[in-house]
Amino acid sequence: MNCCFLIPFVVGIPLLRPCLTATENSKPQEVKQPVGSRLRARRGWVWNQLFVPEEMNTTRHHVGRLRSDLDNGNNSFQYKLLGDGAGSIFVIDERTGDIYAEQKLDREEQSLYTLRAQVIDTTTGMAVEPESEFVIRVSDINDNEPKFLDEPYEAIVPEMSPEGTLVIQVTARDADDPSTGNNARLLYSLLQGQPYFSIEPTTGVIRIFSEMDRELQEEHRLIVQAKDMIGQPGGLTGTTSVLVRLSDINDNKPIFKTTFYRLSVSESAPVGTSIGTIMAYDNDIGENAEMEYSVEDISQTFDIITNNETQEGIVILKKKVDFEHQNHYGIKAKVKNCHVDEHLMKYHAEASTTFIKVQVEDDDEPPVFLLPYYVFEIFEGNSYGSFVGMVSATDPDHRDSPIRYSITRSKMFSIDDNGTITTTHPLDREISAWYNLSITATEKYNVQQIVEVPVYVQVLNINDHAPEFSQYYETYVCENADAGQVIQTISAVDRDESLEEHHFYFNLSVEDTMNSSFTIIDNQDNTAIILTNRTGFSLQEEPVFYMSILIADNGIPPLTSTNTLTVYVCDCDENGSTQICSNKKRMLSMGFRTEAVIAILICIMIIFGFIFLILGLTQRRKQTLFPEKGEDFRENIFRYDDEGGGESDTEAYDIAELRSGTFMRERKTRKHTTSEIHSLYRQSLQVGPDSAIFRKFILEKLEEANTDPCAPPFDSLQTYAFEGTGSLAASLSSLGSEISDQDENYDYLNDLGPRFQRLACMFGSAMQSNN
C-alpha cells in the first residue's frame, strides 16, 4: 500500500505540494501491516516533520495533508488527528486528511508539537492503518527584539583613568532561534557616551576612551543599543542606560580664593586667643579635601590651627602683643592636603599661599613699673622722714596719664606722688630686719587701672645694743674655798648684727677691782672665768656677793655694758663639794613648788565649796517658791514680817496668829484700793496691833493679788513687811512721811541704844542742819 503525504515547505521558497512515494529507505518510516489484508510486500507510511511559520496572521492556515495509499477516492476512509494540540490548535479534514492551524503560533512559547494520525474505514469501522506519529515544527521569524536583563547598570571608575580602562560589560538576550539565520545574532553600539567611552560590538564591554575629570562632570549616562540580524537593516533593537560615576582622586591642591586678609587683635588679649579665620577651597572631596594650614611668621607671634570639621584655618595669638611696641604684623599662611599619594604629587608641587595683616588695637592698660620689684636699704635708728628709696611707674598708653602711689597696710613708711618712700617711725633691726611692702600705682584719669609692685626694705644694723650675759647665772662658792678656785664660766651675746664675728671683752668694774674676794680672767674666746681671790668665806657674815662685770663688743663704735653676777656662799662638806649647795637650791625650788601646789589646791577647794553653797541655796529657794512640790499643798501664802522694838518690846503682834488660818480666794472684780491701803497702813502704824486691822489688810492684799493680770500663773509666795507700834522709836516707815511734822525732833534716837545709833547720826544731823 502506497501513501502520498503532501507537505508544504516554508523555507523562504515557493509552496510545493509534491507527492512522495514511500520507500523502505525513507526516514523516518514505519512499516505497517494492515489488519485483515492480504499478504503482499512490506508497505507503510513515511512521515516527515511538518513546518508551519509562526505568527501567521490568517485565521486558518493549511499545514499539510495526510493520505493513505489505500484511499481509492470512494470517500469510505476517515482521517483522525490525535496528540498535542489536536482539535484545538490543529484540526484535520476527516474526508481529505488536510491539516489546518486554527490560531497564530509562537515559536518562543512552543516550537514543536507531537501528533498521531489514524485512518478508519467507515464501512467497517476498523482502522485501515495503525496509528503513526509525526511532528509539526514552528519555524522562527525575527519577531523578538533584544532585551537587557541585568539593567539598570551602574559603574564607578576613578577619575583621570587612562584609555582602555574597563568600566562595565552589558549583555542583551534575543528570544529568537539562534540556529535560524541571524535572528539572534546581536551587535552592540553606543547611542550616547562618546567621546569618553567606547563599547566592543560583540561582547558589550564598555571601556574608557579618554580621561575624565570628576570636578568637571561627576556622572556620565550612557545609552547602549543591541541590534539583531548582525546589525543589518530590518533587524530589531533594544536599548539600556549605564550610569557611570567618577570617584575622586587627589588631583587638586587647596587654593586660597582670597590672597589678602585683614585681622585685628587687642593688646590685652591673652595668649591662645582666636583672632580670625582663613579659608582655602579644594575641589576634591572626602579625605582628599582634608587640609592643614601653616604660618610663616618671623616674630613667632601668631600661629594657625586647622578646624577639622569646617577645614578652616584659625589664627591664634601665640604670645602677647603691645600696641606701643608694635601696632601691626604681616604674616604669610600656607595650605596643603593631608593625604597625597606619591603618583599624585605632581599636582601638589607648589602650595597655595595668602598674606595676613594683623592690626594691634590699643587698650587702656594699667601702669607699668620700671622694675618687677625693688630692694632698698636703710640704717636702723634713722629719724622720722628718712629717705628709703624711689619707685617709678609709667602709663604705657599714648595719653600718658599721671600716676598716684600708695602703700598698702604699712604704718612704718609713706610714699609721695613722686614715688619717694620715707619712714614714718624709727626702725629697729632687732625688731624687724626686713619689711615687705606693696606699692600701688593708680592712673589719675582712670582709677580702675591699678598695678602693684613688691618692695623689700632691709634695715641695716648699727651698733646700738651693748653685749650682755648669755643667760642668768647663779654662782655658788663654798665657805672653805681656796684662792684661785674657778667658780663660774660666763659668756655674752649681742643682739646687733656684725659684719665679722662678734668678739667680747670681759673685765671687772672699777669698784670690784678694789674688791679682793673674786677676780675675772678673759679667755679671748667670748668667755671668761670667775676665780676666788682669797681663802675662806663666811656664810653668816657675807652670804651674798655682787660682782659688776664690764663686757665690751668689737662694734664701731664699741659698746660696753655692766652686768651683775650674784655669788652665793654655801656651807659645803669637808671635800669642798658644791653638791650640797645644788641640793639646797633644788630643795628651795621644790619647796616653792610644793607651796604653790598647796595654794592652788586650797583655791580649788574654796571655789568648789562656793559652788556647792550656791547650788544648795538655789535648791532651797526652789523648794520655797514651789510649795506644791512638798507634802503640804496650799494656796498662795502671804507672810508679813513684824519688826518689834527689840527684846523689851512685848506689845508686838504675834505673827503666829496670821499663820494659823487660811483664806480661800474668790474671783472678784478689781477695785482701786490704793487710798484705802495707804489709810490701812497708817492706821496699823498708829493704833497698834489689832487683829481686825491685820485681817482686813491681808484680805485686801489677797484680793489685789487675785485680780492682778500681771500675777504669775502659778502659786507664789509674796512677803509684805509690817512694823509694829510697840517700839520706843515708833514707826520708821516712810509711808506717812508726807504728813509728818517737819519740825519733829529725833534726838530721842540717841537713847535707843547702839542699834539705832546710825539713825540718830543721820536724822539728828539733818535736823540740826535744817534748824
Side-chain angles (χ1 to χ4, degrees):
M1 182 177 62
N2 295 326
C3 173
C4 183
F5 180 33
L6 301 180
I7 306 172
F9 292 92
V10 183
V11 195
I13 57 176
L15 183 62
L16 300 178
R17 291 185 176 87
C19 181
L20 301 179
T21 302
T23 63
E24 295 184 0
N25 295 326
S26 299
K27 294 183 179 179
Q29 64 179 356
E30 284 192 13
V31 179
K32 302 296 183 179
Q33 183 67 37
V35 177
S37 63
R38 63 182 182 271
L39 294 176
R40 52 182 170 172
R42 178 186 296 179
R43 294 182 296 274
W45 292 352
V46 178
W47 303 102
N48 208 337
Q49 48 188 351
L50 303 179
F51 290 90
V52 58
E54 65 175 335
E55 303 294 338
M56 295 300 294
N57 294 325
T58 58
T59 305
R60 171 175 282 196
H61 178 69
H62 187 265
V63 177
R65 183 179 182 184
L66 299 178
R67 187 171 180 80
S68 174
D69 58 356
L70 298 180
D71 189 357
N72 54 9
N74 56 4
N75 296 326
S76 61
F77 284 6
Q78 181 182 7
Y79 295 92
K80 290 187 177 182
L81 189 66
L82 303 173
D84 191 8
S88 58
I89 300 177
F90 302 101
V91 295
I92 192 171
D93 188 340
E94 295 180 351
R95 185 179 60 80
T96 62
D98 292 319
I99 301 174
Y100 298 93
E102 289 291 317
Q103 57 185 348
K104 185 186 296 184
L105 301 178
D106 189 353
R107 190 199 67 83
E108 285 69 40
E109 292 183 2
Q110 187 169 349
S111 61
L112 185 142
Y113 296 88
T114 302
L115 300 171
R116 300 187 307 276
Q118 188 178 32
V119 181
I120 299 174
D121 188 353
T122 57
T123 59
T124 63
M126 301 296 292
V128 178
E129 297 285 348
E131 287 185 3
S132 185
E133 193 174 70
F134 68 96
V135 296
I136 298 177
R137 292 185 179 274
V138 182
S139 59
D140 182 52
I141 64 173
N142 191 15
D143 61 341
N144 290 280
E145 71 275 4
K147 294 183 180 296
F148 293 91
L149 304 180
D150 298 330
E151 59 182 357
Y153 293 96
E154 292 185 1
I156 299 176
V157 292
E159 63 173 332
M160 308 305 291
S161 296
E163 180 181 351
T165 302
L166 174 65
V167 178
I168 195 173
Q169 182 179 14
V170 296
T171 302
R173 296 289 184 268
D174 195 325
D176 292 326
D177 188 0
S179 63
T180 304
N182 296 321
N183 291 346
R185 296 184 64 184
L186 306 178
L187 287 181
Y188 299 93
S189 62
L190 284 178
L191 300 182
Q192 177 180 316
Q194 297 88 355
Y196 300 111
F197 300 92
S198 64
I199 188 169
E200 296 179 0
T202 57
T203 63
V205 174
I206 301 175
R207 298 183 183 274
I208 299 294
F209 187 75
S210 63
E211 292 184 350
M212 292 170 288
D213 192 351
R214 187 201 64 82
E215 287 70 37
L216 296 178
Q217 185 176 351
E218 185 175 0
E219 295 181 352
H220 296 264
R221 188 170 293 277
L222 285 64
I223 303 298
V224 179
Q225 174 183 271
K227 188 174 184 180
D228 58 13
M229 299 295 293
I230 321 177
Q232 295 177 1
L236 301 179
T237 62
T239 59
T240 187
S241 65
V242 180
L243 180 62
V244 180
R245 291 189 176 93
L246 300 180
S247 60
D248 184 61
I249 64 172
N250 199 354
D251 59 338
N252 292 278
K253 67 179 181 180
I255 298 176
F256 288 105
K257 298 299 183 182
T258 303
T259 58
F260 182 77
Y261 287 88
R262 289 183 181 272
L263 303 177
S264 61
V265 60
S266 173
E267 63 176 340
S268 61
V271 174
T273 300
S274 171
I275 65 174
T277 59
I278 61 176
M279 184 68 183
Y281 297 88
D282 194 332
N283 290 329
D284 295 322
I285 59 175
E287 186 182 75
N288 295 327
E290 294 180 3
M291 61 189 75
E292 59 182 0
Y293 298 85
S294 60
V295 63
E296 292 181 359
D297 181 15
I298 301 177
S299 65
Q300 297 184 351
T301 306
F302 303 94
D303 198 3
I304 298 180
I305 61 176
T306 304
N307 187 332
N308 294 326
E309 294 183 358
T310 63
Q311 297 300 309
E312 292 178 321
I314 304 174
V315 183
I316 62 173
L317 188 63
K318 193 174 180 180
K319 65 180 183 181
K320 292 281 289 184
V321 293
D322 188 356
F323 177 84
E324 288 70 28
H325 180 261
Q326 186 174 351
N327 57 15
H328 69 276
Y329 293 85
I331 59 177
K332 182 187 290 186
K334 291 184 177 182
V335 63
K336 64 178 182 178
N337 283 129
C338 300
H339 311 284
V340 181
D341 295 336
E342 188 67 27
H343 68 281
L344 297 175
M345 289 300 297
K346 60 182 179 180
Y347 299 107
H348 303 266
E350 185 177 352
S352 177
T353 61
T354 187
F355 186 78
I356 304 174
K357 183 179 180 180
V358 181
Q359 183 68 36
V360 180
E361 298 178 350
D362 187 21
D363 283 347
D364 190 5
E365 299 177 272
V368 177
F369 281 97
L370 299 182
L371 297 176
Y373 62 91
Y374 292 86
V375 179
F376 300 122
E377 295 178 348
I378 184 173
F379 283 100
E380 63 177 331
N382 284 346
S383 61
Y384 168 82
S386 297
F387 175 80
V388 177
M390 179 179 289
V391 298
S392 178
T394 58
D395 184 6
D397 300 316
H398 284 298
R399 64 179 179 178
D400 194 13
S401 172
I403 305 299
R404 294 177 179 175
Y405 301 93
S406 62
I407 297 181
T408 305
R409 297 184 299 275
S410 177
K411 298 180 179 179
M412 306 300 293
F413 303 90
S414 64
I415 189 171
D416 59 16
D417 289 340
N418 295 326
T420 302
I421 304 174
T422 56
T423 60
T424 58
H425 294 82
L427 305 179
D428 188 351
R429 190 202 65 83
E430 285 69 38
I431 296 178
S432 179
W434 284 90
Y435 290 90
N436 299 332
L437 309 179
S438 180
I439 305 298
T440 301
T442 307
E443 290 186 11
K444 180 179 179 180
Y445 298 146
N446 186 0
V447 295
Q448 301 297 327
Q449 299 297 340
I450 302 175
V451 69
E452 291 185 355
V453 67
V455 176
Y456 307 101
V457 179
Q458 182 181 13
V459 181
L460 301 179
N461 180 66
I462 62 174
N463 194 17
D464 58 343
H465 289 86
E468 56 189 6
F469 280 149
S470 60
Q471 64 182 49
Y472 174 74
Y473 294 104
E474 290 187 359
T475 307
Y476 302 95
V477 63
C478 294
E479 288 181 309
N480 55 354
D482 297 331
Q485 183 176 344
V486 178
I487 62 173
Q488 186 68 56
T489 300
I490 60 175
S491 62
V493 293
D494 193 339
R495 289 188 293 169
D496 290 323
E497 184 182 25
S498 178
L499 297 178
E500 58 185 15
E501 216 177 295
H502 281 293
H503 188 72
F504 303 111
Y505 305 93
F506 300 89
N507 203 349
L508 291 176
S509 63
V510 178
E511 294 81 4
D512 285 346
T513 304
M514 305 304 295
N515 189 351
S516 59
S517 298
F518 303 96
T519 185
I520 187 171
I521 297 178
D522 192 343
N523 295 329
Q524 301 298 319
D525 59 355
N526 293 338
T527 62
I529 56 175
I530 308 298
L531 299 90
T532 57
N533 203 22
R534 65 188 176 103
T535 302
F537 295 89
S538 176
L539 177 61
Q540 301 297 329
E541 296 178 1
E542 292 181 294
V544 179
F545 291 89
Y546 299 97
M547 296 180 60
S548 297
I549 300 175
L550 299 178
I551 306 177
D553 59 16
N554 60 339
I556 302 175
L559 293 181
T560 304
S561 66
T562 301
N563 298 266
T564 301
L565 180 65
T566 304
V567 181
Y568 297 94
V569 178
C570 296
D571 184 10
C572 301
D573 56 8
E574 296 179 355
N575 297 326
S577 174
T578 59
Q579 185 68 25
I580 298 177
C581 294
S582 300
N583 291 340
K584 181 179 180 181
K585 175 185 175 184
R586 187 177 296 109
M587 290 298 294
L588 291 174
S589 175
M590 291 179 61
F592 171 75
R593 294 177 183 174
T594 303
E595 293 176 356
V597 171
I598 293 175
I600 293 173
L601 291 176
I602 293 174
C603 292
I604 293 174
M605 292 176 63
I606 292 174
I607 292 173
F608 275 102
F610 184 71
I611 293 174
F612 290 146
L613 178 61
I614 292 175
L615 293 176
L617 293 176
T618 303
Q619 185 68 22
R620 183 176 180 183
R621 182 179 179 184
K622 289 182 179 179
Q623 294 176 357
T624 305
L625 291 177
F626 302 98
E628 67 273 9
K629 295 182 180 181
E631 296 179 356
D632 189 10
F633 178 78
R634 299 182 181 181
E635 293 289 341
N636 293 348
I637 299 176
F638 296 84
R639 175 178 295 180
Y640 301 88
D641 295 335
D642 178 41
E643 182 181 350
E647 295 179 357
S648 60
D649 186 4
T650 59
E651 298 180 0
Y653 183 75
D654 188 2
I655 198 65
E657 294 295 332
L658 293 176
R659 301 176 180 173
S660 60
T662 59
F663 299 92
M664 300 297 294
R665 294 185 180 182
E666 296 180 3
R667 307 293 288 182
K668 297 181 180 180
T669 59
R670 184 179 180 91
K671 297 180 179 180
H672 298 282
T673 58
T674 305
S675 60
E676 296 179 3
I677 293 173
H678 284 293
S679 63
L680 290 174
Y681 270 112
R682 202 62 187 165
Q683 292 178 8
S684 64
L685 294 176
Q686 292 178 357
V687 301
D690 188 352
S691 60
I693 295 175
F694 275 102
R695 186 182 300 276
K696 185 176 181 180
F697 178 76
I698 292 173
L699 290 176
E700 292 291 342
K701 290 297 181 179
L702 287 175
E703 182 179 1
E704 182 179 356
N706 288 334
T707 58
D708 186 5
C710 299
F714 47 82
D715 292 340
S716 61
L717 176 65
Q718 301 188 23
T719 303
Y720 297 90
F722 179 80
E723 183 178 350
T725 59
S727 174
L728 296 178
S731 175
L732 299 180
S733 174
S734 62
L735 294 175
S737 60
E738 59 181 2
I739 60 174
S740 62
D741 189 3
Q742 297 295 332
D743 297 332
E744 184 177 357
N745 188 5
Y746 294 94
D747 291 339
Y748 64 88
L749 296 175
N750 296 322
D751 301 331
L752 296 180
R755 295 185 177 181
F756 295 89
Q757 190 64 35
R758 181 63 178 172
L759 292 174
C761 294
M762 292 174 60
F763 285 84
S765 60
M767 294 304 297
Q768 291 175 4
S769 62
N770 291 335
N771 294 333

